[in-house]
Structures are given as C-alpha cells and as structure tokens.
Amino acid sequence: MAKLGSTHKKVHISPNFDKGTAIRTHDPIMEELEPPTVIMAALSALSPLHLSDLSHSIFSDIHHRRRRLTFILSSPTLFSLTLRHLNSLSLSHKSLLIARFLLSALRRLCHPFQPPAKSLPQHPSTAAITPRDLDAAVLLLLLCEVRQHNPAALETPLPKWRAALCRIYSDSILSISGIISGGGAVMVPYVETVARCWKFVGFVGSCGGKGKREVAASPVAVVELPSVAAAAAVECVICKEEMGEGRDACQLPCEHLFHWLCILPWLRKRNTCPCCRFQLPTDDVFAEIQRLWEILLKLGSTITTSDGD
C-alpha cells in the first residue's frame, strides 16, 4: 500500500476530474484488494497541502463524534435513551443511519479531488440528520466495533454495558492512534471506519450490488448544468436530430451536448449521460454513496496498478 507522505509519484488531477469517474463494470483489481488499501492509495496522490487540509477536516469530524459519544457514555440517562432508540429501529433504518454517516465521510474524502467550482451539492438528508439519530449512529458504530474485537464485553448484563463500553472507549482514547492527530494516525482509522460502514450498508443490500438501479439526477446538479452554443452537425443522441449551429444546448460535465427538452426528462429518471454513462450527483442516499465510493476505488486502483508496473 502506498503510504501517506511517501515520495509517491503524484497523479495529475484534471480540472475536469469528475468526467470519467463513473465505473460501469467491476474492476477485478478492486475486487481483489481490500477497500482501505485502495482508498489510502487514492489519498496518497494528494498534494501535501490537500492532504494536510483533509487530515484537519477528518480530525475535526472525529473530534465531534467523540464528543457526542463521550456525552452518551457519561450520562446513564442519555445512554439508556439512545440505546432504546437504537433498539426500536428496524435493520433498514439502522442501515439508513450508517448510510448517512458514510455519505458524509465519502464527501469529505472525495472533496480534495473535486475542482473548486464543481463542489458536490450537499445531500439534504445528510444535512438534516438529527442529534438523536447522530447519537444512535455513533453508538451503533461503537457497538459494532466492540462486537468485532471484544465480543465478551457485550455478553455482560445489559445494565453493565455502559460501564464496559466506557472502559473500552477510554482505552481507545489513550492509545497512540487516539492521541496523535497527524497524518496516517488520523487517516487510517477513519478510512477503516468508512470501510466498515460500507460493508454494513452493503450487507443489508442497499449498496455494493452488481446491478445498478436507475435514480434521478439531483435537481441541484441539473440546475448547475451550463447552456452552450452547439456547433454545426452535432446530433442529440436522445432524439437523433441535429442541433442547429449556435442553438442553446445542455452540456453535461462529460461535455456531451443535448437538447434541453430532451435531456431534462431523461435526468428526471436517471442520473447518467446517454452517451458515456457518466454519473451526475443524485439525491438518493445509497446511489450517491455508490457513486462516490466508485470514484475513490477508481483512483486507488489506478494508482495501485501503476505501482505494480
């Protein structure tokens, strides 16, 4: 795995990076490598400045989540209410909680690769997550981690869970990775948490399947599409008619042109370019997770492949 801060060959990030990032087939390399390895390889392509900014952003996010978790574990009443709320949720609702957390993290990881003028629109469901749901999400993540690494702690009677979780959480805070705030000490645990969230959401069946369902493009992304003057003899592949020279046409980020009256109904049903299958952002939580996840894996697999040559 390429290490952060190494003398790794930097990859040029085009101002139009977003154009070719949609993956329409499953890359065997990506299927063989562990997701954290591929994501860390993608992040190794960042410049020191972008990497520093990302580390600071991730540390702020971790600090916010740790504060919430500290409040929950410090208060018997809040812990009881949060656990009760978590137990009342169905598996699909638990998946949605983790999905919102995952979407927020993927946006953070993908942000350095996006041109400043093409920042991703904020997903309304992510921005609207309530403190109660955030508390439930961070507690659920802790329970999943404890179940994986220290299952005996959860075999104690339920009233003793809070004390057991407090001890485990305190040990993690006092560990080297919990104290150091720089570089990989922040990045690696964060990426591993993102990968665990991906597996959880994929296990429920909401992401990661080989079949792609059609989802509408985000209205925010559609409104931001530019209108350009069409050149001579350019055909709209939707209606199969030529666009008159100088006529206003809709240009997708992949630079394909369409009649506005043709592309708008298309984007209300699907978020892909009719020509190249480039994916626009979507307001569907799970489809947007899939889109951003594939951006990171595409970058990481490219760098990993070049390292092996």
Side-chain angles (χ1 to χ4, degrees), residues 142-160:
L142 177 62
L143 291 172
C144 291
E145 186 173 355
V146 172
R147 172 64 68 183
Q148 179 180 1
H149 299 291
N150 191 5
L154 300 181
E155 294 176 0
T156 58
L158 192 59
K160 295 183 179 181

Side-chain angles (χ1 to χ4, degrees), residues 94-265:
K94 289 185 177 74
S95 176
L96 183 58
L97 279 180
I98 299 301
R100 288 174 175 170
F101 173 86
L102 175 59
L103 179 55
S104 175
L106 288 176
R107 287 188 184 281
R108 194 178 305 276
L109 292 172
C110 287
H111 181 74
F113 299 104
Q114 304 297 331
K118 293 293 182 181
S119 296
L120 295 171
Q122 290 297 313
H123 196 291
S125 62
T126 302
I129 188 169
T130 65
R132 185 189 188 197
D133 283 344
L134 178 60
D135 288 350
V138 295
L139 181 58
L140 177 58
L141 287 173
L142 177 62
L143 291 172
C144 291
E145 186 173 355
V146 172
R147 172 64 68 183
Q148 179 180 1
H149 299 291
N150 191 5
L154 300 181
E155 294 176 0
T156 58
L158 192 59
K160 295 183 179 181
W161 273 23
R162 189 180 71 86
L165 292 175
C166 281
R167 288 193 298 271
I168 295 172
Y169 181 62
S170 296
D171 290 342
S172 70
I173 292 294
L174 293 174
S175 66
I176 295 179
S177 62
I179 295 176
I180 298 177
S181 61
V186 167
M187 206 76 70
V188 173
Y190 191 82
V191 169
E192 289 175 346
T193 299
V194 167
R196 284 196 297 270
C197 291
W198 167 261
K199 290 180 179 180
F200 180 87
V201 174
F203 173 77
V204 178
S206 303
C207 289
K210 294 189 177 183
K212 298 254 185 181
R213 58 190 179 90
E214 292 185 344
V215 293
S218 167
V220 175
V222 174
V223 168
E224 292 178 348
L225 293 175
S227 182
V228 300
V234 176
E235 181 186 77
C236 172
V237 301
I238 298 177
C239 66
K240 303 300 182 181
E241 295 182 2
E242 289 188 1
M243 290 176 277
E245 183 176 1
R247 181 177 175 180
D248 284 344
C250 173
Q251 184 182 59
L252 297 188
C254 52
E255 298 185 355
H256 289 118
L257 302 181
F258 307 92
H259 291 125
W260 279 103
L261 292 178
C262 295
I263 195 62
L264 289 179

